Amino acid sequence: MSGESAMESAAAVENMLGEIAGVGRASTGGYQRFAWTREDHTLREWFRGAAEAVGLDVTEDRVGNQWAWWGDPDASLRAGRPGVVTGSHLDSVPGGGNFDGPLGVVAALRAVDTLRRDGFTPARAIGVVNFVDEEGARFGVACAGSRVLTGALSPDHALALTDGDGITLAQALTAAGRDPRALGRDDEALARVGTFVELHIEQGRWLVDEGSAVAVASSIWPHGRWRFDFTGEANHAGTTRLADRDDPALALASLILTAREAAATLGCVATVGKVRVVPNGVNAIPSAATGWLDGRGADEAAVRRLVPMIEQTLGTRAVEESFTSTTRFDPALAADLAGLLGGAPVIGTGAGHDAGVLAAHGVRAAMLFVRNPTGVSHSPAEHAEAADCAAGAAALTTVLRSLAAS
């Protein structure tokens, strides 16, 4: 076993996170790390260097997800022992924190490095993955990297997605020096993954209230994204009487309030976190307004009722951009990991993850959560104590040691 102390381990995790702390820092104090941008390129190069520094061989799949392997995954597969993979993502939401995604990548690299220094000999290949575009912040579809990988998102659909500047994913890939025609489902890469375990900061306060540093995930709530489009008539903000106005921003405001009321009635959560107003001038009545609704909840039937209730109240129809049903992680694996970690609690989550996409595809998958003292995520206030990060990395090390031993 490694002779490294808990304090040394915590410092090592902090140092690794610090290596990328300056990448994509926004004026808000948070991060702007979007797919296929200069910041994304910098993070991808950092991942390659960090993985190679601990002796891993880095490859990419047809989507651009990065896989760093200890051992030959194809030889492992031929021997009937497909690999054990861990990791997460490095991109962010607008103004996001430094832990959502990066902590899972850093903990994975630390866990593998610890096992190597301990002299552990895995019976199957161990991989660390950096999934691209998990947040969907640029092109609007969450977990795009894992969705295209598994075939849940078709290449044609993905390539036609546009960002806020009207740039398609195909154009963004070309600008990043990649061939859009190569994008697609990659069964060869997926076949190498026998078990996937993703570590992530908890996006809530359950672990704080329960006094536990680490938990195991049971499931991911159903999650949908819908777009509401409203049209009106552009006009002068100072010379047009209120009675003469056809202002679509009023409908947008109604959407925000109605979504909140409907969610409370159904026991769900709903957020209109992204809006677009045209022409977006302070002295102009808009000609169009668009709001994007995010809806989730423990009860899938209730989440499905959310939008029809809003549509009935507003008298308009929404466009469904994505919907993911309840995702349940392998219950036997979750129970095994909880026992392996000394009776760690098993909890559900309202946040989507690449692990959920793989689980929905049939991959044996699990998640570990690390305590978040603020309970805040997708914000500069997102935080995890160094000791808890080290505890998460130690838990992941224990899990990988067990899963890769035979």
Side-chain angles (χ1 to χ4, degrees):
M1 297 294 290
S2 172
E4 187 177 67
S5 70
M7 185 176 296
E8 290 171 329
S9 178
V13 173
E14 273 199 311
N15 288 340
M16 227 169 169
L17 285 170
E19 290 174 4
I20 58 173
V23 181
R25 177 78 77 170
S27 59
T28 61
Y31 290 90
Q32 306 280 86
R33 297 166 169 170
F34 301 156
W36 308 119
T37 60
R38 180 176 299 177
E39 292 78 16
D40 184 53
H41 174 76
T42 300
L43 292 167
R44 292 171 65 83
E45 288 299 299
W46 172 85
F47 177 81
R48 177 177 290 276
E52 291 176 346
V54 297
L56 306 186
D57 299 316
V58 182
T59 64
E60 292 186 14
D61 59 30
R62 292 183 59 194
V63 190
N65 302 309
Q66 295 176 290
W67 304 81
W69 287 101
W70 175 13
D72 184 344
D74 294 320
S76 189
L77 179 61
R78 288 193 297 270
R81 297 188 180 95
V84 176
V85 180
T86 183
S88 192
H89 63 95
L90 295 173
D91 64 311
S92 78
V93 298
N98 192 35
F99 295 87
D100 178 356
L103 178 58
V105 174
V106 166
L109 292 170
R110 285 292 305 160
V112 170
D113 187 38
T114 298
L115 291 174
R116 291 179 70 96
R117 288 186 288 107
D118 283 352
F120 175 68
T121 302
R124 58 184 74 221
I126 297 178
V128 177
V129 62
N130 169 34
F131 281 110
V132 68
D133 202 9
E134 192 270 355
E135 296 291 5
R138 183 175 182 186
F139 297 103
V141 176
C143 299
S146 55
R147 287 181 189 273
V148 176
L149 172 70
T150 59
L153 178 63
S154 73
D156 288 345
H157 185 180
L159 291 171
L161 295 171
T162 59
D163 66 11
D165 295 321
I167 298 171
T168 66
L169 175 58
Q171 292 170 326
L173 289 172
T174 300
R178 308 183 71 88
D179 183 0
R181 294 170 298 181
L183 188 79
R185 174 171 171 158
D186 196 330
D187 290 327
E188 184 177 348
L190 273 172
R192 298 175 180 136
V193 185
T195 304
F196 178 65
V197 181
E198 181 174 4
L199 179 143
H200 205 280
I201 189 171
E202 186 195 6
Q203 295 169 292
R205 289 187 50 84
W206 198 93
L207 287 174
V208 174
D209 295 339
E210 292 299 313
S212 178
V214 178
V216 178
S218 60
S219 63
I220 296 176
W221 288 1
H223 169 211
R225 291 184 178 184
W226 296 265
R227 189 185 77 243
F228 286 80
D229 296 311
F230 308 101
T231 58
E233 181 181 38
N235 216 325
H236 195 290
T239 61
T240 309
R241 295 182 302 179
L242 291 178
D244 294 337
R245 298 183 182 206
D246 183 6
D247 187 349
L250 297 178
L252 179 61
S254 294
L255 167 64
I256 296 169
L257 295 174
T258 302
R260 171 74 177 237
E261 294 167 358
T265 299
L266 294 169
C268 303
V269 292
T271 305
V272 181
K274 177 181 176 181
V275 301
R276 181 173 61 206
V277 177
V278 179
N280 202 32
V282 68
N283 61 345
I285 299 168
S287 60
T290 301
W292 280 265
L293 172 73
D294 181 300
R296 317 180 191 213
D299 183 349
E300 183 167 336
V303 178
R304 279 294 193 186
R305 288 166 52 200
L306 177 66
V307 169
M309 183 179 292
I310 296 170
E311 289 174 330
Q312 183 176 12
T313 301
L314 299 182
T316 190
R317 297 296 301 273
V319 176
E320 183 178 298
E321 295 196 335
S322 66
F323 190 88
T324 303
S325 295
T326 302
T327 303
R328 303 194 186 282
F329 294 110
D330 187 306
L333 177 59
D336 288 347
L337 298 192
L340 191 64
L341 299 177
V346 180
I347 64 174
T349 178
H353 301 280
D354 292 306
V357 175
L358 296 190
H361 184 69
V363 175
R364 185 172 181 247
M367 289 194 71
L368 303 180
F369 291 125
V370 172
R371 179 166 49 197
N372 176 350
T374 66
V376 174
S377 188
H378 286 188
S379 158
E382 175 184 276
H383 183 64
E385 296 292 342
D388 287 347
C389 292
L396 185 59
T397 304
T398 299
V399 166
L400 295 181
R401 188 190 303 274
S402 175
L403 293 175
S406 61

